[in-house]
Amino acid sequence: MNKIVSVFLIVLITFVASCKKDNMQVVDIKPPVADIIPKELKTHGDVRIDNYYWMRLSDEQKNAENPDEHTQKVLDYLNAENDYFDKKLGHTEKFREDLFQEMKARIKEDDESVPYKDNGYFYITRYVKGGQYPIYARKKESLETEEELLFDVNKMAEGHDYYRLGGLNVSPNNKYVAFGVDTVSRRQYVLQFKNLETGEFYPEKIENTTGSSVWANDNKTVFYTKKNPTTLRAERIFKHVLGTDPSKDVEIYFEEDDTFSTYVFKTKSNQFISIGSSSTLTTEYQVLNADNPDGKFKIVQPRVKGLEYHISHFEDNFYIYTNKDKASNFKLMKTPINKTELENWVDVIPHREDVLLEDISIFKDYLVLEERSNGLSKVRIKRWDGTSDEYLPFDEETYSVNVYNNLEFDTDIIRYGYNSFTTPASVIDYNMKDKSKEIKKEQEVLGGKFNKDNYTSKRIWVTARDGKKVAISIVHRKDTELGKNTPLLLYAYGSYGATIPDGFSTTRLSLLDRGFVYALAHIRGGQYLGRQWYEDGKLFNKMNTFTDFIDCTKYLIENNYTSPEHLYAMGGSAGGLLMGAVINMNPELYKGVVAAVPFVDVVTTMLDETIPLTTFEYDEWGNPNEKEYYDYMLSYSPYDNVEKKEYPNLLITTGLHDSQVQYYEPAKWLAKLRANKTDNNLLVMYTDMESGHGGASGRFNALRDTARDYGFILEMEGIKE
């Protein structure tokens, strides 16, 4: 008997030692259990019980130096979940670090942007080896002149867990720069000013702004936007005179309608300062001659519900791309600058049923149109004199193109960016006169392992349950065999009309090189197939967004791209809502899901007008104060539809200071899932206690977030290296 016991002990000791060596979990680690404190929520006679409403903290509570008992309880719970994440996935820590180093090694650390010219200066953004943040510089007239340092954000960020500098805006005389700084990650920027001749910072600091600003042509007057401190709605335009006390700034405009936000910008011609007001479906603009900052703004066209228009200035006209006259895909019109009302607008580019007009750029001799047709971006170049009208040629089946940094007006050169699933990003200058092009820069993928010829991409079309055709863009290595054992990650967003581009990603290579297929579903709610594609995925059509994703999933399984045992899904923010909805509807289709900063408590959030951005989004989701919308939202809200059943492996991420989706939505969802799920699949959440909606600041910290998410997926797939 003693011999048997001895042998058993030896075997047990050997097993435990082996487990330690392989980082296996010998004893199951128990997850935190959130207290159940029922709160009754009654709307339209309907009663919902929220057991985790107590997790909600105000900004003041989150930021308090001496937290009260309730605040400490919530923070302790979030930290306990982080600790649980670390323990459950601690054995993957080395692999995640390897992934991070692998991703980092592909990046050219001492990188530099292609200089762009504006008002006599070439502006450059560069990174130095080991630096998390950019350095901004400029050179006068020629790239051969001595460089002038604007900001070294690495130095500015010292001592901050989070730091973001944005809204850089140089005065017309090139002597001053306005900029915004956010050190909390709530997108509430402190507006500041620097003298570029002396290097001195002005003492005035303007709190709670959007970070952006506009200089009048007098080089001393600045217009900027302030946010509501509670809802964070951009609601007021102020005028500041450089060197004066900000408390004496004059309020120029207050946007009274809480479903609108407001902003200020300058036309490319530098002749007009414009105040814009916008909701999801309606816009309005006011303009002021930039030479007369103390003048009165004039409304271009008073708002009309459902009328969207956007203005650009050229010579004696405003050019307006708009949905006027039921132009759902938008058209281009113009109107004299002194006769701006609707009745004066005339067509320049008429509406087309099969082409979405997304943006325009105006040059002295050319009009450039950014269009989308059959899901693909097109760049159209049209001479004002009518002598030419052409499209830039692109050869790949899936790609992404964007026109940017074209600040010069009198030039024949248009700059655009191009990339695809298999082609790294390029910056290209195209001569609109002689049709020549010059590749100014192609993204370098370091590490010596990347060869674009090793990868292949394509588009496939899925017939959704209502007969609509939904595109999926796919990329994988050519030597990856497709079949039921092939791991596949399916990504989508599907809200706000946002179209996720088929773009290149160096980090994604870490999945592709391990045999994964990456698929991007262009589901309804975006504008991939035009404006109607968006309309068909919002308000009372929102369910199409979720069923499109599920139908794409089923297609990939049925056509032998993968199987439920190897299929993963990912989405963030409104895409996190998508993740929550589909795992309530068809959890059996997915092995694992990553839901980043997910908007999951739809009804409660949209009923609370004190939560940032709620009223602004009624046109997207509906107003649940109206029973029809309440009932429809309730039918898909992920938090409200959690049931006692099996769910996939799930990683949820959030940020304590998130201004877009408050941290307590994913935290409550996690707690409710854990209390109801009937499986033994992994359910973990990671809360970044320092950041907000966009995640960590700094280019390398962001890579760690990606390594965490990919590490989770690879762990579920059983890939250890």
Side-chain angles (χ1 to χ4, degrees):
M1 186 69 176
N2 287 340
K3 232 181 220 187
I4 293 173
V5 171
S6 298
V7 170
F8 173 76
L9 286 173
I10 291 170
V11 171
L12 180 62
I13 291 167
T14 304
F15 173 72
V16 170
S18 174
C19 288
K20 286 182 178 178
K21 181 179 179 181
D22 295 335
N23 288 320
M24 292 170 55
Q25 302 293 330
V26 181
V27 180
D28 190 35
I29 301 161
K30 298 298 181 185
V33 177
D35 287 350
I36 294 176
I37 305 175
K39 181 176 178 62
E40 187 177 282
L41 303 172
K42 185 181 290 187
T43 312
H44 304 302
D46 179 57
V47 177
R48 293 177 298 134
I49 303 298
D50 188 344
N51 290 329
Y52 307 105
Y53 193 89
W54 61 267
M55 292 186 184
R56 176 174 173 167
L57 297 177
S58 68
D59 288 344
E60 291 75 17
Q61 288 173 307
K62 283 186 293 184
N63 297 320
E65 290 187 14
N66 298 301
D68 58 30
E69 184 177 348
H70 172 66
T71 301
Q72 194 60 55
K73 176 180 178 179
V74 175
L75 296 177
D76 287 346
Y77 174 73
L78 297 176
N79 282 315
E81 287 291 355
N82 281 354
D83 185 56
Y84 179 67
F85 172 90
D86 289 338
K87 288 177 179 175
K88 289 297 286 185
L89 291 170
H91 59 289
T92 70
E93 186 174 355
K94 181 184 182 302
F95 183 35
R96 281 183 279 141
E97 178 63 24
D98 291 343
L99 280 173
F100 165 72
Q101 295 296 341
E102 176 180 294
M103 293 173 185
K104 184 181 177 185
R106 296 192 191 105
I107 296 175
K108 191 174 189 297
E109 289 198 45
D110 52 344
D111 204 5
E112 186 173 292
S113 68
V114 178
Y116 69 89
K117 195 174 185 183
D118 182 29
N119 196 22
Y121 279 83
F122 285 95
Y123 287 86
I124 303 160
T125 303
R126 71 171 187 271
Y127 289 89
V128 295
K129 191 173 180 62
Q132 288 265 24
Y133 298 95
I135 294 170
Y136 297 101
R138 67 179 184 175
K139 295 183 177 184
K140 189 173 183 178
E141 295 298 343
S142 167
L143 291 173
E144 307 305 317
T145 58
E146 187 177 348
E147 182 179 274
E148 177 185 342
L149 178 67
L150 303 181
F151 298 103
D152 184 343
V153 186
N154 296 292
K155 293 181 179 178
M156 299 170 74
E158 289 177 0
H160 295 280
D161 293 313
Y162 180 93
Y163 195 93
R164 192 169 296 280
L165 183 143
L168 271 66
N169 180 24
V170 177
S171 61
N173 64 4
N174 291 309
K175 293 182 178 181
Y176 315 107
V177 62
F179 62 98
V181 172
D182 175 13
T183 58
V184 179
S185 192
R186 289 283 285 176
R187 302 187 182 181
Q188 292 171 285
Y189 288 83
V190 178
L191 188 64
Q192 300 178 59
F193 305 92
K194 181 181 179 181
N195 187 313
L196 295 176
E197 292 186 328
T198 66
E200 295 177 311
F201 289 87
Y202 283 79
E204 60 254 45
K205 293 184 178 182
I206 305 172
E207 305 278 345
N208 195 32
T209 78
T210 61
S212 62
S213 60
V214 172
W215 290 93
N217 290 343
D218 65 357
N219 296 294
K220 64 179 182 180
T221 306
V222 178
F223 294 85
Y224 64 91
T225 311
K226 283 204 112 175
K227 291 188 168 187
N228 181 294
T230 301
T231 66
L232 303 188
R233 180 173 72 97
E235 64 179 13
R236 298 174 190 272
I237 306 295
F238 281 83
K239 180 171 65 176
H240 176 73
V241 177
L242 190 63
T244 65
D245 183 352
S247 67
K248 297 178 181 177
D249 287 357
V250 178
E251 183 180 305
I252 300 300
Y253 177 68
F254 171 53
E255 177 51 68
E256 296 181 357
D257 189 331
D258 62 6
T259 66
F260 281 70
S261 65
T262 188
Y263 46 93
V264 62
F265 65 96
K266 202 173 191 180
T267 59
K268 185 176 176 179
S269 66
N270 291 318
Q271 190 170 328
F272 291 98
I273 293 168
S274 180
I275 293 174
S277 293
S278 68
S279 68
T280 305
L281 298 175
T282 309
T283 51
E284 178 184 79
Y285 292 94
Q286 308 172 51
V287 291
L288 173 70
N289 191 308
D291 293 329
N292 183 26
D294 295 324
K296 186 176 181 180
F297 280 83
K298 177 187 179 296
I299 292 179
V300 173
Q301 163 58 39
R303 68 189 66 178
V304 176
K305 187 169 178 59
L307 175 66
E308 297 177 64
Y309 70 95
H310 310 273
I311 64 170
S312 299
H313 171 244
F314 177 54
E315 294 184 341
D316 296 328
N317 294 290
F318 286 121
Y319 282 77
I320 302 167
Y321 77 94
T322 176
N323 65 349
K324 182 182 180 292
D325 304 322
K326 298 182 180 179
S328 59
N329 275 337
F330 290 78
K331 63 179 178 176
L332 184 63
M333 307 185 78
K334 70 176 182 178
T335 190
I337 58 175
N338 58 352
K339 293 181 180 179
T340 60
E341 292 74 17
L342 207 59
E343 60 267 21
N344 301 298
W345 298 8
V346 296
D347 280 5
V348 176
I349 304 289
H351 177 253
R352 293 153 292 172
E353 293 291 340
D354 59 345
V355 178
L356 174 67
L357 178 61
E358 293 188 313
D359 205 352
I360 68 168
S361 298
I362 287 178
F363 298 83
K364 181 172 181 279
D365 295 321
Y366 306 90
L367 170 65
V368 176
L369 307 165
E370 292 179 72
E371 303 175 347
R372 185 175 294 274
S373 174
N374 194 34
L376 299 179
S377 297
K378 307 286 179 68
V379 178
R380 180 181 178 185
I381 301 170
K382 183 179 174 67
R383 283 192 67 100
W384 289 113
D385 62 14
T387 57
S388 70
D389 188 346
E390 64 169 336
Y391 285 90
L392 292 179
F394 305 114
D395 299 327
E396 294 183 89
E397 186 178 1
T398 63
Y399 62 86
S400 173
V401 63
N402 62 290
V403 177
Y404 71 107
N405 274 353
N406 288 281
L407 301 178
E408 284 193 281
F409 176 69
D410 187 3
T411 178
D412 293 324
I413 304 296
I414 179 175
R415 176 167 293 174
Y416 67 93
Y418 178 88
N419 70 117
S420 73
F421 272 164
T422 58
T423 304
S426 296
V427 177
I428 301 167
D429 280 358
Y430 179 77
N431 190 306
M432 297 180 281
K433 187 175 183 179
D434 66 19
K435 318 301 183 189
S436 64
K437 72 175 183 179
E438 179 186 1
I439 298 175
K440 304 296 289 186
K441 181 178 181 179
E442 186 171 76
Q443 179 184 4
E444 293 184 60
V445 183
L446 303 184
K449 297 180 180 179
F450 174 74
N451 181 344
K452 65 176 292 184
D453 293 332
N454 291 335
Y455 305 87
T456 184
S457 65
K458 65 178 179 177
R459 272 196 309 178
I460 56 177
W461 293 89
V462 175
T463 302
R465 62 193 66 185
D466 64 354
K468 297 288 186 181
K469 297 289 187 180
V470 182
I472 309 177
S473 301
I474 289 177
V475 62
H476 58 82
R477 284 184 64 96
K478 290 178 180 177
D479 56 7
T480 295
E481 293 186 16
L482 302 182
K484 293 190 179 299
N485 294 322
T486 307
L488 185 147
L489 174 60
L490 181 61
Y491 185 92
Y493 184 71
S495 291
Y496 302 106
T499 301
I500 307 299
D502 294 346
F504 187 77
S505 166
T506 59
T507 57
R508 190 186 301 139
L509 295 173
S510 292
L511 291 180
L512 302 184
D513 289 348
R514 289 175 172 84
F516 264 77
V517 174
Y518 178 85
L520 172 59
H522 301 288
I523 55 181
R524 278 173 279 188
Q527 290 189 138
Y528 189 75
L529 293 178
R531 182 68 172 198
Q532 194 59 47
W533 203 243
Y534 169 44
E535 299 292 341
D536 289 346
K538 62 185 283 197
L539 298 175
F540 290 120
N541 294 322
K542 192 64 210 171
M543 197 63 75
N544 288 334
T545 302
F546 314 134
T547 56
D548 279 359
F549 191 86
I550 290 168
D551 292 344
C552 288
T553 301
K554 290 180 177 179
Y555 178 93
L556 292 167
I557 293 169
E558 291 165 2
N559 287 272
N560 216 33
Y561 283 86
T562 186
S563 63
E565 291 74 33
H566 300 281
L567 199 155
Y568 303 86
M570 179 185 284
S573 194
L577 160 65
L578 170 67
M579 295 298 102
V582 299
I583 65 172
N584 279 335
M585 296 166 70
N586 286 94
E588 75 283 356
L589 296 177
Y590 308 97
K591 175 69 176 292
V593 172
V594 177
V597 291
F599 173 42
V600 285
D601 192 11
V602 182
V603 178
T604 304
T605 291
M606 293 304 297
L607 280 167
D608 189 344
E609 296 182 3
T610 68
I611 293 176
L613 308 180
T614 292
T615 56
F616 183 66
E617 301 198 348
Y618 285 157
D619 287 335
E620 179 73 24
W621 311 103
N623 183 350
N625 292 297
E626 300 173 26
K627 190 173 188 304
E628 280 185 302
Y629 284 114
Y630 174 87
D631 291 341
Y632 189 75
M633 285 181 187
L634 196 58
S635 73
Y636 66 75
S637 173
Y639 184 64
D640 292 288
N641 287 282
V642 170
E643 298 174 328
K644 286 196 175 297
K645 60 184 178 186
E646 294 188 359
Y647 283 91
N649 297 286
L650 181 61
L651 167 62
I652 303 167
T653 65
T654 186
L656 180 64
H657 300 289
D658 196 330
S659 59
Q660 313 300 108
V661 178
Q662 308 301 306
Y663 73 91
Y664 45 80
E665 287 197 43
K668 294 190 327 178
W669 183 44
L670 170 92
K672 191 172 183 179
L673 281 167
R674 188 168 281 148
N676 283 275
K677 75 189 193 82
T678 58
D679 56 82
N680 293 317
N681 289 330
L682 187 61
L683 173 60
V684 289
M685 181 176 76
Y686 181 81
T687 302
D688 189 327
M689 304 300 282
E690 306 297 339
S691 79
H693 199 63
S697 65
R699 54 178 177 157
F700 301 138
N701 290 339
L703 287 181
R704 290 197 181 278
D705 291 348
T706 304
R708 174 199 62 214
D709 298 345
Y710 283 6
F712 170 82
I713 293 170
L714 291 165
E715 167 69 8
M716 296 304 100
E717 187 59 20
I719 297 175
K720 306 291 185 182
E721 59 182 21

